[in-house]
Amino acid sequence: MGISSKLGLGQKIRDLIINYNVVLKKSQLYRNGAYQNAKPLGRNLKDYQSHFYCFLIDINICLLPVYLWVIEFLLILCGIIPPLLFDFLFYIMYAMLFIIGAVLLGVFTASTKGQTIGGTLTGIKIVQRNKKEAAPLMLILRQALGFGIPLVVFGYFFQIVGIIVWWIITGIVILITPNQQNLFDLAFGLVLVNEPDYSNVEVKGTIKKPAVENVQPVQPEVVQPIPIVSETPEGICPIDLHIRSTYSDDGSYDIEEIFRQAKENGMQVISITDHNCARANAAAERFAQLYNIQYIPGVELDGQYNGVRIRVLGYYIDWNNPVFEEFERESLKREKNISMLRVKKFEEFSGIGIDVDSIISSSRFQTITPEDITKMVFNNKTVRELPMVQKYIKMSKSEKEARARFKHGIFGTKGPCYVQGDYPDIRTLIDAIHDANGIAILSSWHMDSISDDGIEVLIKSGFDGTECFSPLVHPQTMTALLKVTKAHKGFITCGSDYHGAIKPNYKMGMTNCPEKALPLVRVITKAAQ
């Protein structure tokens, strides 16, 4: 961001003073997870400008005593202040310069866990090389030795020339280092980073995690409905426990946008169940308080049972449990391997080369999906004229239908380029959710392809309940899920599988849960009470 665009500095400083707690909250977000998305300053114009602007703010704050002394000097020349006070005021000025530059600046930086006043306004943070927050003493020493003390010492012994020479040397070092580090950053192993987007981060929340290992389902007839806090549009269920955010590879909206939409729709209870990723939950609990919506921490994990791919929903989980990081890491690794095998199969089958680097560079999760390959094929004028592609175009009424047929025919379970992933056994997932103080729910995903007897066997394998109401399944399947789950006295949930704009047919709150069945779903929303 250029200096010319940074207007209203006075207002920003006032806002900083008023909202100092915001800086501390952002530090907590950074410390407990957001640091992974922080980017060290690079050798580009934008970062140089931000760093320079940050420096100008800090140096001007440190030089406030000098500015005051200049005013005092002018008052002495005008005869308003006695000349005898010149030496006294001069040493007072240097004392204040030392206190602000060598002490207070470092203390402020330590109190904000790595941000100077200029850094809080420009989004620059001083951290360790691994991007985690630096120790307070290290920050104080860095600011004192690299900023305040040289300013005072060189200014006292060499006046303005000494200060200018020092900052020229420092500037040269900053320009030649990869991440704009000064001498003391290099000595202390520090680096400057741009703060990440905190609306998309996941960190430890402030809400106590509920212990639900011993929770027993409450009979629906004794459950009191949650008070209606706002009017829910017709056709929208006020409870939606299956929503994806941008932490999923196919989610469109960040956490706050999901809560904003939930508020507009009059939602009472929601859960964000990202695909093999639990990192959204802390930020979600924070926004739940802001938007006054009950939030149930959640996740959705890929698994398999007797060779059949199944998904498991986990609710009330302790998302800080390391097991979820391991699931996410293994999921990313697995999907990358599947992507490469999918590309290999397609190239061997079709003779069409895939520009892997181009697709991966535009993929947030470094994967290549059937949708990606289908899009590439249909967008290439030469490739779409091939017989294997024309076959689908000629049998379809629209481009959209042709692409869907191609994707299913080539990459579907019976297609020549289908790749079967190796997923964890669902018992492993259920145990992990239970160990994280959570409730394990059988997702309705792909339940249409499983018999009623198969569903019963699945539920008996250790699930605490089932996602009975969902747009993912046929009404007959919902009836079967409901019947079996009630027979085993399990929790009953509902979810829209809302992905956002990427899947426009699924709407938040459209769970296919009838109003008369809401008391059954409300049981799990009171499990932590």
Side-chain angles (χ1 to χ4, degrees), residues 32-52:
N32 291 299
Y35 69 89
Q36 299 177 56
N37 299 323
K39 294 183 178 180
L41 296 189
R43 296 170 68 175
N44 58 76
L45 180 60
K46 180 180 178 181
D47 285 352
Y48 280 129
Q49 287 179 325
S50 294
H51 193 180
F52 182 62

Side-chain angles (χ1 to χ4, degrees), residues 301-303 310 312 327 424-434:
L301 303 174
D302 276 317
I310 303 294
V312 182
F327 281 136
D425 186 85
I426 58 168
R427 295 183 184 89
T428 300
L429 304 182
I430 292 171
D431 290 342
I433 290 171
H434 287 165

Side-chain angles (χ1 to χ4, degrees), residues 178-220:
N179 302 121
Q180 300 190 36
Q181 297 159 283
N182 63 31
L183 291 170
F184 290 93
D185 291 331
L186 297 172
F188 290 127
L190 300 174
V191 67
L192 279 71
V193 299
N194 287 306
E195 288 185 289
D197 180 1
Y198 290 110
S199 64
N200 286 334
V201 300
E202 60 302 323
V203 294
K204 295 180 181 178
T206 56
I207 299 178
K208 184 179 180 180
K209 316 295 184 305
V212 296
E213 314 92 65
N214 300 320
V215 172
Q216 297 295 324
V218 185
Q219 294 300 318

Side-chain angles (χ1 to χ4, degrees), residues 119-420:
T120 60
L121 299 177
T122 57
I124 292 176
K125 190 176 179 76
I126 306 165
V127 297
Q128 301 177 66
R129 283 200 184 97
N130 60 6
K131 297 194 293 187
K132 292 186 178 181
E133 289 187 334
L137 180 59
M138 189 178 295
L139 293 170
I140 292 174
L141 290 175
R142 187 264 188 191
Q143 295 302 88
L145 298 176
F147 201 98
I149 291 178
L151 181 68
V152 174
V153 172
F154 281 93
Y156 183 82
F157 288 104
F158 305 105
Q159 288 76 46
I160 297 297
V161 175
I163 295 176
I164 292 175
V165 170
W166 167 253
W167 289 122
I168 288 176
I169 295 173
T170 301
I172 292 173
V173 174
I174 289 173
L175 286 172
I176 63 176
T177 51
N179 302 121
Q180 300 190 36
Q181 297 159 283
N182 63 31
L183 291 170
F184 290 93
D185 291 331
L186 297 172
F188 290 127
L190 300 174
V191 67
L192 279 71
V193 299
N194 287 306
E195 288 185 289
D197 180 1
Y198 290 110
S199 64
N200 286 334
V201 300
E202 60 302 323
V203 294
K204 295 180 181 178
T206 56
I207 299 178
K208 184 179 180 180
K209 316 295 184 305
V212 296
E213 314 92 65
N214 300 320
V215 172
Q216 297 295 324
V218 185
Q219 294 300 318
E221 55 267 31
V222 302
V223 176
Q224 297 299 320
I226 298 174
I228 300 296
V229 296
S230 59
E231 184 177 353
T232 305
E234 185 177 354
I236 300 296
C237 177
I239 302 172
D240 191 341
L241 305 182
H242 197 157
I243 298 172
R244 290 196 186 181
S245 75
T246 48
Y247 283 108
S248 295
D249 56 357
D250 52 2
S252 300
Y253 299 120
D254 61 31
I255 309 301
E256 183 169 16
E257 176 61 20
I258 287 172
F259 274 93
R260 188 190 66 77
Q261 293 182 21
K263 193 69 174 178
E264 288 181 353
N265 289 333
M267 306 298 295
Q268 299 169 10
V269 188
I270 68 171
S271 179
I272 295 176
T273 53
D274 278 313
H275 197 203
N276 297 307
C277 178
R279 294 186 293 133
N281 285 293
E285 286 203 341
R286 176 166 56 88
F287 284 117
Q289 297 177 69
L290 294 175
Y291 285 86
N292 194 27
I293 294 175
Q294 182 184 345
Y295 180 74
I296 298 175
V299 70
E300 185 178 35
L301 303 174
D302 276 317
Q304 61 185 10
Y305 184 74
N306 293 337
V308 179
R309 190 174 171 190
I310 303 294
R311 285 179 178 169
V312 182
L313 291 161
Y315 296 115
Y316 294 106
I317 58 169
D318 174 7
W319 66 86
N320 293 308
N321 192 306
V323 70
F324 295 114
E325 288 188 10
E326 181 63 23
F327 281 136
E328 181 181 7
R329 185 163 50 248
E330 289 301 314
S331 173
L332 292 172
K333 180 180 177 181
R334 179 175 60 245
E335 293 306 316
K336 287 181 180 179
N337 292 337
I338 289 175
S339 294
M340 295 302 103
L341 182 55
R342 179 181 293 122
V343 168
K344 181 180 178 182
K345 279 192 169 187
F346 182 76
E347 289 181 333
E348 292 175 349
F349 169 75
S350 66
I352 301 171
I354 300 296
D355 187 353
V356 173
D357 293 337
S358 176
I359 297 177
I360 285 183
S361 65
S362 59
S363 170
R364 289 186 296 130
F365 292 85
Q366 303 291 288
T367 58
I368 300 176
T369 66
E371 289 82 359
D372 293 327
I373 298 177
T374 300
K375 182 179 179 181
M376 186 215 71
V377 167
F378 277 78
N379 287 349
N380 188 300
K381 293 181 179 181
T382 302
V383 173
R384 68 180 286 137
E385 294 300 322
L386 295 176
M388 66 167 290
V389 182
Q390 281 295 309
K391 177 180 68 172
Y392 293 99
I393 294 175
K394 291 176 181 179
M395 72 170 62
S396 305
K397 296 179 181 179
S398 65
E399 178 80 2
K400 182 177 180 182
E401 181 183 341
R403 293 189 181 210
R405 285 178 178 271
F406 178 88
K407 186 181 75 171
H408 183 266
I410 301 297
F411 302 104
T413 53
K414 296 181 180 180
C417 301
Y418 173 71
V419 179
Q420 174 67 48

Side-chain angles (χ1 to χ4, degrees), residues 422-483:
D422 184 19
Y423 298 93
D425 186 85
I426 58 168
R427 295 183 184 89
T428 300
L429 304 182
I430 292 171
D431 290 342
I433 290 171
H434 287 165
D435 289 342
N437 296 333
I439 297 174
I441 300 294
L442 174 63
S443 172
S444 61
W445 184 77
H446 279 191
M447 286 297 107
D448 281 340
S449 61
I450 298 178
S451 66
D452 292 359
D453 291 339
I455 291 173
E456 184 160 9
V457 171
L458 276 172
I459 292 176
K460 286 181 178 179
S461 65
F463 283 102
D464 302 305
T466 310
E467 183 184 46
C468 296
F469 302 108
S470 167
L472 297 174
V473 293
H474 191 277
Q476 290 182 346
T477 304
M478 284 193 282
T479 301
L481 290 170
L482 184 60
K483 179 180 178 181

